[in-house]
Structures are given as C-alpha cells and as structure tokens.
Amino acid sequence: MYRKVVLAIADGLGDRPNPILGHKTPLEYASTPNLDRLAAKGITGMMDLIASGIPVGTDMGHLILFGYEPQNYPGRGPIEALGIGMDVRPGDIVFRCNFATVDEHGVVVDRRAGRIREGTDKIADAINGIIVHGVTVYFQPATEHRAVLILRGDGLSDQVSDSDPKAPNDGSPFLRIEPLDLTKEAQKTALVLNSFLLKAHSILKDHSVNAERISQGKLPANFILTRGAGKMTELEPITDKLNIKGCCIAGESTVLGVARMAGFQTVTHSSMTGNMDTNIQLKAKLATESLAENDMILVHLKAPDLQGHDNEPFQKAKAIEMFDEMIGLIEKGIPEDVYLAIAADHSTPCEIGEHTGDPVPVLISGPSIRKDRVTEFNEMDCAYGGLGHLTGNDFVRTLHGFMGRVKKQGN
C-alpha cells in the first residue's frame, strides 16, 4: 500500500538547557500545543544526522533528509547554485559566498554586511561576468547576505581554501585563498579567485548602493567572502530511485538546491524570507495543496537556526512557536491517511551560536502508528520515544517504509 508523507523541518531546532530560560531548552520553553498533540498520538525519538557528536551543515543535513547518504555530498557551492536557479554545468567550480564589510586594512568588520537584504542584485550585477586569467566568473545573490560564485573555464579544481575567516568583529582579516594540493589546477584556481576578489572589492567599495548604505549609517557590502568550494556533479534523483513525485516548499536557497538535486519540484515565494517574518500561512497552504500531485512534501522553516546563531533564546522559542503554528495549519489540511513527520537538520544551541552534534527530536504521526508514551515534543521527552536513537538515513528510510517504497530484502 502506497501512502503519502509531509515532512516539516525546523532548521537548527535542537538546543541545550539555557539558564536564561530557567534551564529549559527553547523547545521546552516554547508553547507547542500542536507538536505536543502529535507526539502524544504518534511515535518519537532522537536523531543524529550522521552519528553521535558529528555536527553537520544545513546542506549536509538536508541532503540526508531528502534521502541521500553522506558520501553523496557534492559541496555547498553546487547546492547553493541550484537553489537560486543558476545555470550550473559539470566541471564548474562553485562557491558559497557572503556579502561582507571589510575596512581599509582588509579586516572583516561584519561577515554579513549588516545582514544586507536590499540592493544585492545591483551589487551582484556589477561583478557578474568578469573574466580573470581566461576564466569567467558568474555571480548571483541568494537569500539575504548570501550569494553564489561560479568559476567556469579549463584546468580548474575545487581543492582551494576559504577566504572567509568565520570570525566577525574580532579583528580577523579575510583569508588569502590557497591551493589544498600541489596540482596546477588548484594553484590556478587559487590565483583566479584571489585576483577576482581584489577586483570585486575595487568595484564594490565605490558602488552607488554602498554609498547610499554608508550615508544611512549602514555597513557597505564591499567584499565577497567565499567558502564551500565544490565541483558540480550529477546525482540520481531520489524521486527516480523511489518512483515518487516530491515537492519542497522553502525560502532558503540551500534547501531548494538540495530539493532540485533530489528531483523534487520546488515552490518558493518572496514572502518566504527565511527569517522571523516568513509567511507560515502560505507555506502550510502550499504544503496541503501540493499533496494532490505529490507523494512526499518537505516544508522548511529557517528561523530557529538564525536565532540560535544569534544567541537569542527567547527569539528562538518564538520561532519554534511559529513552527508549531504552521504544523497546526498543515495538520488541519491533510487527509487522515497521510503521515505528518517532524524533524530538524541539526542542533544550533544558543550558547554556542553554531551547529553542534547534539541529537534532534523527531516524530511521525499518522495511520496505524505504534504510538509510544511520549506526550511532549522536546529534546528530553523524545529520548524515551519508540523510534529510539537513530541516524538520519534510518529516519528517512522509516518514512519511505511507511510510504510503501522500501523493497523487501530476501525472499
């Protein structure tokens, strides 16, 4: 029997007990009546995306949640490029980027350029299509301060270091890109990218968008920080492997990129901002409507992760309450024979401000579920759930099994 699944993902959901919240996690502190109700009538557990203690990025976490093995990882750059609809070709070297602010000495003042959201398309246009040492550089903005850079030409490699020091506001300069092996391809790629970044800086520091930002007391986006180099490869779509149709509803380019790689139709909208002002009502509406034509729906909320990175436990709790509201809307709009599953791509504890290897709570609710005795959805209670402690691949395979898409082994 074939059944359908809606998988709702709260980015960065997992956390640790926080003294500001009375030693509760943001998930424990938040009011989550819908998640708790689903936990009470479903089955819960704790999930490590790869294995205990291993942190993962949003890209790797979602690669696994869409059904791939960790060894299928192509690099963050290609995923980001697919996410914003760039023309990516086999052999392209692709980088995940930030618009950033540097001072006259190259020190990174803010690696997100004040979380710039406006004018990034005009800034990107000024440096898109530049040719450096015979290599064409394609550059496009992504969500908020993020962007994607593609190097297209002969004799290139993805074995180069990052320019991003990943340490804002502490006096660290941007990093010179170095080859990570002794090949001439890696050396050429490092040379091309270093030359491009300096040329881009000379253009952006005098750009009209930045002049206006400075006049308004805002930080200019006068530099490009690169990281996550990857060479574009092709993976078999999960939809072909399972013979299903899938749809992903998200406002975050990384998630959309993995979805396209997996063969899922992608649905997004300008009101899906990837932040606290995202349109959860539209996401829920699209998730329920997409069930008519699809077997598996993934709907994503980025906001909890952002608040974890910013060490805002109260705001993270509010973001979780938004997620809970979205879940309630989805539950009301789906038939009784559809499974509703909850997961996260990783933990982002507020006190750490970065992804950690802490496991995340998961649940599955729907027809003929062997419900456990857990009645609240959080990191503590779900540790006692019937799913036990499982990997990301185990969890997704369990969903595919409920869908009737896992082949029997043996006779």
Side-chain angles (χ1 to χ4, degrees):
M1 178 187 297
Y2 291 143
R3 286 231 166 96
K4 299 185 178 186
V5 167
V6 176
L7 171 57
I9 300 170
D11 205 302
L13 175 68
D15 213 299
R16 298 174 180 176
N18 196 301
I20 296 177
L21 303 179
H23 299 283
K24 294 182 178 181
T25 69
L27 181 54
E28 286 182 294
Y29 183 85
S31 174
T32 55
N34 297 306
L35 290 168
D36 292 343
R37 184 178 62 257
L38 288 174
K41 69 178 187 178
I43 188 168
T44 64
M46 295 297 291
M47 176 178 70
D48 292 304
L49 272 299
I50 296 178
S52 297
I54 300 178
V56 300
T58 297
D59 50 353
M60 178 64 84
H62 282 86
L63 193 84
I64 293 168
L65 289 173
F66 272 94
Y68 288 109
E69 301 281 345
Q71 59 265 31
N72 296 136
Y73 182 62
R76 183 70 173 255
I79 291 171
E80 293 281 347
L82 288 169
I84 62 173
M86 289 183 80
D87 172 29
V88 196
R89 303 175 186 177
D92 284 352
I93 308 301
V94 194
F95 300 82
R96 180 190 183 200
C97 303
N98 275 17
F99 291 103
T101 306
V102 300
D103 65 15
E104 62 272 20
H105 304 294
V107 171
V108 178
V109 177
D110 190 313
R111 53 187 293 274
R112 298 182 179 92
R115 289 198 182 275
I116 185 171
R117 294 175 76 167
E118 297 83 22
T120 54
D121 54 339
K122 295 177 182 178
I123 296 173
D125 285 345
I127 56 177
N128 182 41
I130 290 176
I131 298 176
V132 181
H133 301 297
V135 174
T136 304
V137 182
Y138 298 96
F139 188 85
Q140 285 189 25
T143 309
E144 297 185 343
H145 57 275
R146 305 172 187 89
V148 177
L149 184 154
I150 294 176
L151 299 182
R152 182 172 297 158
D154 296 328
L156 299 175
S157 169
D158 60 352
Q159 294 303 300
V160 294
S161 63
D162 299 341
S163 63
D164 185 356
K166 300 181 182 177
N169 310 323
D170 69 351
S172 297
F174 71 87
L175 303 177
R176 179 177 175 81
I177 293 155
E178 302 289 346
L180 297 179
D181 60 34
L182 299 177
T183 63
K184 63 181 180 180
E185 290 82 5
Q187 293 173 8
K188 176 182 177 180
T189 305
L191 173 66
V192 168
L193 200 51
N194 281 319
S195 299
F196 169 76
L197 294 182
L198 293 178
K199 188 168 186 177
H201 176 58
S202 69
I203 294 171
L204 297 183
K205 65 183 178 65
D206 298 320
H207 196 280
S208 59
V209 169
N210 285 325
E212 183 177 354
R213 286 181 65 82
I214 292 170
S215 70
Q216 296 173 349
K218 298 178 181 178
L219 293 171
N222 61 12
F223 200 82
I224 306 301
L225 295 175
T226 59
R227 64 189 185 280
K231 179 176 284 189
M232 185 60 194
T233 57
E234 293 187 15
L235 294 174
E236 179 187 8
I238 294 299
T239 51
D240 290 351
K241 182 179 179 181
L242 298 177
N243 191 27
I244 63 172
K245 292 181 68 177
C247 179
C248 175
I249 296 142
E252 216 273 344
S253 59
T254 304
V255 179
L256 294 171
V258 179
R260 288 171 183 147
M261 191 176 293
F264 280 59
Q265 172 196 0
T266 56
V267 179
T268 190
H269 188 270
S270 59
S271 66
M272 299 180 195
T273 64
N275 213 319
M276 294 289 284
D277 57 352
T278 196
N279 190 340
I280 59 171
Q281 290 79 16
L282 179 60
K283 286 186 177 183
K285 179 175 181 289
L286 292 171
T288 55
E289 290 177 348
S290 298
L291 274 171
E293 301 294 331
N294 293 279
D295 304 296
M296 189 171 194
I297 311 295
L298 274 81
V299 57
H300 173 262
L301 187 75
K302 182 68 175 175
D305 181 57
L306 298 182
Q307 303 308 322
H309 280 293
D310 289 346
N311 190 15
E312 295 285 352
F314 288 109
Q315 285 296 103
K316 185 169 181 178
K318 288 184 179 179
I320 291 168
E321 289 173 353
M322 287 173 50
F323 181 70
D324 183 79
E325 182 182 350
M326 184 179 77
I327 294 304
L329 294 172
I330 292 172
E331 185 188 13
K332 289 178 182 177
I334 62 175
E336 291 184 357
D337 63 346
V338 172
Y339 291 99
L340 178 53
I342 310 297
D345 57 340
H346 54 74
S347 291
T348 310
C350 291
E351 66 171 309
I352 305 298
E354 188 49 84
H355 302 183
T356 67
D358 296 82
V360 297
V362 293
L363 76 78
I364 306 171
S365 178
S368 304
I369 283 286
R370 298 176 180 176
K371 69 177 184 177
D372 55 34
R373 296 174 183 175
V374 174
T375 58
E376 295 184 14
F377 183 75
N378 58 60
E379 300 92 337
M380 311 308 170
D381 288 88
C382 289
Y384 298 93
L387 289 172
H389 203 125
L390 69 175
T391 68
N393 289 133
D394 291 337
F395 176 72
V396 176
R397 188 168 52 250
T398 299
L399 293 181
H400 293 164
F402 279 126
M403 295 173 69
R405 302 289 175 170
V406 178
K407 292 182 181 179
K408 181 175 72 172
Q409 302 297 300
N411 292 323

